[in-house]
Structures are given as structure tokens and as C-alpha cells.
Amino acid sequence: MTSQASRHVVRRVVAAPVVALTVLLVATGCGTASDPSPPAGVDGLTVPTPSPDPGDFVDEIDNPWLPLTPGSAWSYRTAEGVDDEWSVGPGPEISGVETTALVTSSGVADYYAQDESGNVWWLGREGEWQAGEGVAEAGIAMLATPRLGDGYVGSEPGPRAEIVAVDGVRETEAGAFEDLLVIETTDPDGRLLTSYYARDVGLVYRETETAVPDEFLELFNRS
């Protein structure tokens, strides 16, 4: 396998300041009072949210950057050459919201739901936390209209994310991808994860900043 440096290029421009993570964000559209611009990015969202309203959510997750259709699957190759299979199925009801489960080869399931605006929310992880239990709160997994510089909370307590590029380029075993959404996530342990998402595909590559220099997850098949 070629080195990481030779496999990808991310074209980056100066990011806008990261927005406040835990306050109610107000839309700043350029339309007139009679013709307002629709909310974009994190505008108008309270992230994380302590009490998701079931009436705000829809039955399917068709966000183009994180499409989670039941029955779909992704195959990833790790640095160790081990295959990691991801699949989508029904999840439990959490805080009154019906969820969709994304399950990895390890058997761990993450639970997601999409709101009416197209934002995908992370509501729990099997055996670890669920929104509404204790101090756990739902956060954003993927914005409906991600913008360069948007920052948000993945869950509470949990990772902090920032969109660092919207024009990433990546070569994988599944092919070459352009115009990728690139998100840097810092988990509660301080590890930095850089994830690359292709429109209508989802995650195509993820690299983790650890003591192991070549720790990564690379798409090689999607069905």
C-alpha cells in the first residue's frame, strides 16, 4: 500500500471561525424579511440538545453525506488488512425518537435519526449511552447543509467536530473521489480523527492521529 502522503490531497482554504457549540444559534440569512434564506449549517440548531422532539424527526435517513438506508452496507480495509463491515438496520426508540442503527463488524451499533431539515442526529451507542439517560444528550452526526468552518458537538459528553474542507480529494480501493467533505473530530480522549465523506456514498476514508502512524479505515466496496 502506498504511503498516506501519496494517496491523498486535501485542498484547504481559510476556515470561518468555529461557531459556539452549546448555545442556540441564530440564522443569518441574506434574504428580506418577507423572503428569508433557509437555515444552513448549524444555524438555528441547539447542539447538543437535551430533549429531542419526536415530532421533528422523519422515518428515513437520506442525507447525501450520510445516507443510511436499511439493508445497505460498506466494506472497509484497515491498516492491518482486516475487513470491517458496516451495515444498516432498525434501531431502538430513544427519547421517543425511532432510530436507525449503523453496526460495525465488532457488533457495536450507533443510533441515528434525521430531522425534518435533513440534519442527522447521533442519539446513542449500544451499551455505552443513550440521549436522555443521565447527562447524555443528542448531538449532530451530519449537517444537512455543511459549510466550511462549521463546528458542532457530536454528543454530550462526546466528540467535537469541525468541517475543515469541502473540496477534498481521496484515492481509495473503491476508486478516486473528489469534492469530499472533510471533518476533523476530537474525541473525549483527545484523539484527532479526520474523516472524508463523498456525496451519495458516505464515509470513504478515516485516519486517526495516534502513536500508530498508519491507522486508517478505507472504503473498498459499497452495496
Side-chain angles (χ1 to χ4, degrees):
M1 182 171 295
T2 58
S3 67
Q4 291 184 30
S6 62
R7 291 184 65 90
H8 74 286
V9 176
V10 176
R11 301 191 298 272
R12 297 175 61 168
V13 299
V14 177
V18 178
V19 297
L21 295 173
T22 58
V23 300
L24 179 65
L25 299 166
V26 181
T28 57
C30 298
T32 65
S34 60
D35 185 23
S37 298
V42 291
D43 292 344
L45 300 177
T46 301
V47 187
T49 180
S51 54
D53 184 350
D56 291 339
F57 291 84
V58 297
D59 294 334
E60 61 180 3
I61 299 179
D62 59 1
N63 182 299
W65 301 104
L66 190 63
L68 298 178
T69 303
S72 58
W74 296 260
S75 298
Y76 295 94
R77 186 80 26 88
T78 68
E80 295 77 19
V82 178
D83 292 350
D84 191 0
E85 305 290 336
W86 294 15
S87 60
V88 180
E93 182 180 292
I94 298 176
S95 295
V97 179
E98 294 293 338
T99 68
T100 296
L102 179 61
V103 186
T104 66
S105 292
S106 64
V108 175
D110 286 296
Y111 304 127
Y112 303 97
Q114 182 173 299
D115 66 25
E116 294 176 327
S117 298
N119 303 294
V120 181
W121 293 79
W122 187 22
L123 282 86
R125 171 168 289 174
E126 183 179 14
E128 295 188 16
W129 68 278
Q130 289 190 8
E133 294 184 354
V135 299
E137 297 179 355
I140 288 292
M142 183 62 68
L143 294 168
T145 51
R147 302 171 303 190
L148 185 68
D150 274 337
Y152 50 87
V153 180
S155 64
E156 186 61 44
R160 271 58 178 165
E162 180 185 355
I163 297 172
V164 297
V166 294
D167 58 356
V169 177
R170 187 86 221 184
E171 290 186 7
T172 73
E173 292 190 34
F177 296 92
E178 298 180 347
D179 298 322
L180 298 177
L181 182 66
V182 185
I183 301 177
E184 288 186 350
T185 305
T186 304
D187 69 16
D189 295 326
R191 295 187 310 165
L192 178 65
L193 288 75
T194 305
S195 302
Y196 302 76
Y197 293 87
R199 180 178 288 275
D200 299 322
V201 176
L203 181 69
V204 298
Y205 193 88
R206 174 175 292 158
E207 54 193 358
T208 307
E209 184 180 280
T210 65
V212 181
D214 292 322
E215 188 171 342
F216 64 85
L217 197 68
E218 179 178 4
L219 180 71
F220 72 88
N221 188 39
R222 177 176 183 261
S223 58

